[in-house]
């Protein structure tokens, strides 16, 4: 509850929240297998469909709101969203679109040691544009072609640069827990939560903890098949020692300029983005093949 409003639901280790523009977000429980993830997502979608039918509404799994202008979007009654809504226009031109009109599928993967974190984070950052290209699913904005294959991912190129980007320092030889914490300590806050209140602290820095998992945000929201394939993709690549070493070797000489180029161009040209004499499609095919060979539950990637 926030005031008199229901703003979230909890069931066991699962949480459901309403995002700024009414997007429904399931934060799933930590699970051991892709099959458990599939069952959890299927159960959630069945619940959402049942409630929606009672209300006479349906839900779409898309990366960007297909019809409504930003001014048409509803605003969920949460104090932290009001703080962010006022701050976002100060730090980029697309922050409000990101908040209210986008939807992604996110995968959280844990790590076992500092070195494991370093390898996985480097691989995850380098390959996010490839995941974006594979799962890009909506080119429309307000009912018309936008010129982008993933308009959602494009919005992040001009949304609060303190919280977005390819983090080039992650690829420095000195990178580790301490360097990452130093970075996060300098990231300006939006708010602090004290005595059940969100207090505006935009622009100020504050100590934080390092999460025990890495969050993959590269993929557009999508249908049930996407919700299951994306965890299989990342788990197959990063949870297997051999595949992680293969990826580490593959990206070791990618330059910061090349990683930034992929981030900029993939939202526009997707799998047809040119890279090192070939196309992102070539990389994607090799990565999906590797993930299928290594993921327990690889049939999700068929």
């Amino acid at each position: 509850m926030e005031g008199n409003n229901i703003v979230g639901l909890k069931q066991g280790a699962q949480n459901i929240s309403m995002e700024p523009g009414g997007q429904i977000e399931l934060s799933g429980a930590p699970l051991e297998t892709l099959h458990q993830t599939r069952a959890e997502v299927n159960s959630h979608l069945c619940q959402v469909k049942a409630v929606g039918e009672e209300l006479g509404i349906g839900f779409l799994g898309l990366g960007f709101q297909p019809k409504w202008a930003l001014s048409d979007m509803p605003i969920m009654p949460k104090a932290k969203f009001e703080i962010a809504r006022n701050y976002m226009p100060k730090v980029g031109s697309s922050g409000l679109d990101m908040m209210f009109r986008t939807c992604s599928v996110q995968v959280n993967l844990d790590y076992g040691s500092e070195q494991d974190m370093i390898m996985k984070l480097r691989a995850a950052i380098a390959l996010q544009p490839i995941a974006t290209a594979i799962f890009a699913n909506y080119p429309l904005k307000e009912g018309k072609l936008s010129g982008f294959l993933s308009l959602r991912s494009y919005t992040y190129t001009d949304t609060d640069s303190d919280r977005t980007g390819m983090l080039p320092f992650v690829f420095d030889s000195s990178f580790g827990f301490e360097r990452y914490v130093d970075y996060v300590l300098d990231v300006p806050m939006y708010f602090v939560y004290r005595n059940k209140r969100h207090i505006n602290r935009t622009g100020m820095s504050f100590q934080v903890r390092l999460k025990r998992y890495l969050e993959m945000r590269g993929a557009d929201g999508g249908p049930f098949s996407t919700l299951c394939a994306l965890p299989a993709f990342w788990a197959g690549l990063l949870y297997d020692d051999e595949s992680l070493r293969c990826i580490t070797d593959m990206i070791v000489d990618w330059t910061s300029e090349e990683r930034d180029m992929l981030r900029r161009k993939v939202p526009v040209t997707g799998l047809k983005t040119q890279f090192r004499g070939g196309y992102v499609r070539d990389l994607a095919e090799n990565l999906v093949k590797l993930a299928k060979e290594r993921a327990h539950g690889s049939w999700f990637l068929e």
Side-chain angles (χ1 to χ4, degrees):
M1 301 295 293
E2 187 167 316
N4 295 322
N5 297 308
I6 299 173
V7 295
L9 303 172
K10 185 175 179 64
Q11 178 176 273
Q14 303 175 37
N15 292 280
I16 297 175
S17 61
M18 296 294 287
E19 294 305 293
Q23 307 96 317
I24 295 178
E25 178 173 291
L26 168 68
S27 297
L31 299 171
E32 295 183 0
T33 71
L34 293 168
H35 302 283
Q36 292 172 334
T37 297
R38 182 182 187 276
E40 179 188 58
V41 171
N42 187 56
S43 174
H44 167 67
L45 293 179
C46 287
Q47 291 176 341
V48 168
K49 182 179 179 180
V51 172
E53 287 177 347
E54 292 182 9
L55 299 173
I57 58 177
F59 296 90
L60 295 174
L62 298 172
F64 200 88
Q65 218 294 333
K67 295 180 65 176
W68 296 346
L70 183 60
S71 59
D72 297 325
M73 296 301 298
I75 300 173
M76 298 300 102
K78 299 175 73 170
K80 67 177 184 179
F81 294 159
E82 185 64 19
I83 292 171
R85 187 164 70 99
N86 292 328
Y87 183 65
M88 278 292 183
K90 302 176 183 178
V91 289
S93 64
S94 299
L96 295 181
D97 273 335
M98 180 277 294
M99 286 180 63
F100 292 101
R101 296 205 284 179
T102 68
C103 189
S104 67
V105 185
Q106 301 166 18
V107 178
N108 298 333
L109 301 179
D110 56 4
Y111 49 86
S113 67
E114 183 173 30
Q115 184 59 35
D116 189 39
M117 181 278 290
I118 292 170
M119 293 178 67
K120 285 178 177 173
L121 186 56
R122 286 173 177 169
I125 290 175
L127 299 184
Q128 285 305 317
I130 315 304
T132 297
I134 293 172
F135 293 98
N137 79 350
Y138 206 74
L140 301 183
K141 179 181 181 180
E142 298 171 22
K144 300 178 181 178
L145 287 173
S146 66
F148 299 90
L149 295 181
S150 174
L151 184 57
R152 178 203 62 84
S153 61
Y154 171 73
T155 64
Y156 278 89
T157 63
D158 195 12
T159 294
D160 195 352
S161 60
D162 288 322
R163 286 174 169 77
T164 58
M166 301 298 279
L167 305 186
F169 68 86
V170 168
F171 298 88
D172 294 343
S173 60
S174 61
F175 178 69
F177 285 154
E178 184 174 357
R179 178 67 184 88
Y180 187 79
V181 170
D182 288 342
Y183 156 73
V184 176
L185 286 174
D186 288 334
V187 174
M189 294 187 296
Y190 277 42
F191 58 85
V192 294
Y193 190 65
R194 294 286 186 272
N195 300 319
K196 298 184 178 181
R197 292 179 57 240
H198 292 86
I199 303 171
N200 190 333
R201 290 293 183 269
T202 49
M204 300 175 62
S205 61
F206 191 65
Q207 293 185 0
V208 298
R209 64 181 176 88
L210 179 64
K211 292 181 177 179
R212 289 306 306 259
Y213 56 85
L214 306 176
E215 186 174 57
M216 316 300 167
R217 289 174 168 260
D220 286 353
F224 181 59
S225 57
T226 296
L227 303 183
C228 296
L230 188 67
F233 176 77
W234 284 118
L237 295 180
L238 302 189
Y239 270 177
D240 179 84
D241 290 342
E242 184 175 337
S243 62
L244 184 55
R245 282 194 296 271
C246 289
I247 292 169
T248 299
D249 292 341
M250 181 180 72
I251 68 173
V252 67
D253 64 342
W254 290 13
T255 66
S256 177
E257 291 76 17
E258 286 176 319
R259 293 190 296 268
D260 286 337
M261 178 277 293
L262 288 172
R263 181 178 181 242
R264 292 193 313 271
K265 291 189 176 181
V266 161
V268 183
T269 50
L271 292 169
K272 295 181 180 179
T273 304
Q274 295 185 357
F275 184 72
R276 292 194 168 189
Y279 295 90
V280 164
R281 178 183 295 275
D282 304 323
L283 285 173
E285 288 177 348
N286 290 334
L287 290 170
V288 169
K289 180 180 178 181
L290 183 61
K292 286 175 67 175
E293 291 173 350
R294 297 295 171 178
H296 298 288
S298 59
W299 53 272
F300 289 124
L301 292 168
E302 293 295 340

